[in-house]
Amino acid sequence: MTTEKSIVRQTIYDTLTAMKARNAEVSARLSDRVLLTDYAHLSRKTDTGTVWTQALQTALSEHEIVVIPPSDAIYYIDGSVIIPSHRRIEADGARIFLTPDCEVLMLRNAHTADGTHSPVPDGALWDCDITISGGIWGESRTRRQGYGATGRYEPRIPGADDELRAFYGVSTLFLFLCVDGLTLENLTFVHTAGFSVQTGYLKNGVFERIRFEGCFADGLHLNGASENLYISDISGEVGDDLVAFNMYDWQNSSVSFGATRCVWCEGLDLSPASPYKALRIEPGMYFYDDDSAVDCGLFDAVIRSVRGIATFKMYFQTPRYKLGEELPERGEVGSADNLFFEDIVIDLDRPIDGFPEYFTADPVRGAFAAFELGANIGYVSFSDIAITMYPEKFPSSYLVTVGPKSVVWQGCEIFDPYLSSRTGTVELHNIVVNGVKCENPAALVHATVFEDVNHDGMSTGRGEIGEILES
C-alpha cells in the first residue's frame, strides 16, 4: 500500500474514533433520568402481557434518560414510539417486544423525511444525539413477512391499497432517518421479520456490540446519503445480510438515496445457521421523479475482520425483468473509491446465487467470486485475505470478478448484463489460498465480458481493470 493510501486509511480511522468519542461524551452529559416503571400507571394489561407503549412514549417526551429496568416479564410495545433529540435509553437486562399483531415499527426518531421522490432539502430539520444501550429487542415472528407487511411506518388503513403506504421503503424494527449523532450499543435483536435496524440520511452513527438471534431479513440495513459510520462487533443469525450498505436500493427497501462516506466496519461474524452468507454493498445511480440523478456511491471505507461471509456483492442490480416483454428498471452503475478489505476469512464452497450457470461453469456467464465488483471504482485493496477455493468443482470461481452478471431464469434476466464498469486499481496483499500464500494473486481476478449474451440487442457489457498491484 502506498503512503498516500495508508494516510487515507488512517484518516478514516482517526475521524471515526474521534466521532465515536464525541457521541459518548455528548450522551454522558445527559442527566435527567427516570425509570420506565415510574410510568407504570400508563401501562395496561392484555392477554399477551403488559403493554408499555404510552408509558415509554411519555417518559421519552419528558426526560433525557429513560431506564428500562431488568425484569422477568417482557415489556410489550403495540405501536411506534417516537424518540426526540438528546435522549438515551438504557435497557440492560430488559426484554422489549412488539405485540404479536403489531405491524408497525417499534422505535424511530421524531423528524424523519422521505427522500424517495426528491432529495431531502438541506434545510430539513434533523434530530441529534440519540443513544440506545442494552436490551433484547424483538418480535414474535417465525418467518420473513415481506416488505411493508411488518415494520411499517404507519398502520395499515382498512380498505386502502397497500401500495399507498407512507414511507413505502420502510420495513424495520428501528428506523433512524435524518439524524446527526446516533449510538446503538450492546443490543440483541430477536425474530425480527423485516430489517432489525434501517437508517438513512445519517451522520455520525455508531453501531457496536450488536447481536442478532433468529432474525429473518437484514440486520443493519444502512441506506444512503450518510457519512461517518463506525460499526464494530456485529454477529449472529440473519436471513439476509448481516450488514448491508445499500446506498442505492429498490424503492421497497429504502427512502434515502445518495453516497455514503467515511466508514469503519470491523468484527463481523455471521452465524453458520444463516442461510445467505453475503454482504451487500450496492452503489448505483438513482433517478428522482424529475429525472435528476444522484450517484449512490461508497467512498473511504474500511471493512475488516470478517468471518462467515462467502461473497461481497458490490454491484448495481435492478429487479428481474422478463426478456422480450419488459425493460429493466432505470438506473446505472454507481461509483466507489478508497475501499479497504482486510483480514477476511472466506470459504467459497458454492456460488452465493445457486443458478445452474455457476455450478456448470458456463463459459460465458459462469464466473463467480468472493468479491463481485460492478461499479466504477477508483481504488480497492484486498489485504490479508484467507480464502478456501474448490477449483476442481468450480473452475470458474475467483477471488475477484469485475463486470456484469447474467442469468436467465424462467424467462427473466436476474441481473443486468448491459452494464459496463471499470475498476482503476486493484491492490492484492497477502492473499492465502487453501492455506498457502498465493504467488500470483492476479490470476484470481477475472474481468467479465458479454457480447449480446441474450441476443436481444441490450445485453452487451464489460468489466475493465486499469492495473493490478501485488505484494
Side-chain angles (χ1 to χ4, degrees), residues 319-328 355 357 365 406-415 454 456:
R320 65 183 62 188
Y321 53 96
K322 189 170 288 293
L323 290 178
E325 299 181 20
E326 298 174 329
L327 294 175
F355 295 108
E357 287 82 350
R365 310 179 202 246
S406 175
V407 166
V408 177
W409 181 254
Q410 298 180 342
C412 292
E413 172 61 68
I414 304 300
F415 299 103
N454 289 330
D456 61 353

Side-chain angles (χ1 to χ4, degrees), residues 57-122:
Q57 183 64 78
T58 304
L60 284 167
S61 298
E62 296 180 352
H63 299 276
E64 294 175 331
I65 304 169
V66 176
V67 179
I68 306 177
S71 175
D72 293 335
I74 293 174
Y75 297 88
Y76 281 103
I77 303 295
D78 68 349
S80 296
V81 174
I82 314 306
I83 308 176
S85 295
H86 311 297
R87 293 296 188 270
R88 184 167 76 242
I89 298 174
E90 299 176 359
D92 288 337
R95 292 178 294 162
I96 307 94
F97 277 60
L98 287 179
T99 54
D101 60 347
C102 184
E103 65 181 21
V104 298
L105 59 87
M106 179 188 287
L107 298 179
R108 69 169 175 88
N109 61 293
H111 296 97
T112 55
D114 188 342
T116 301
H117 302 287
S118 60
V120 172
D122 291 340

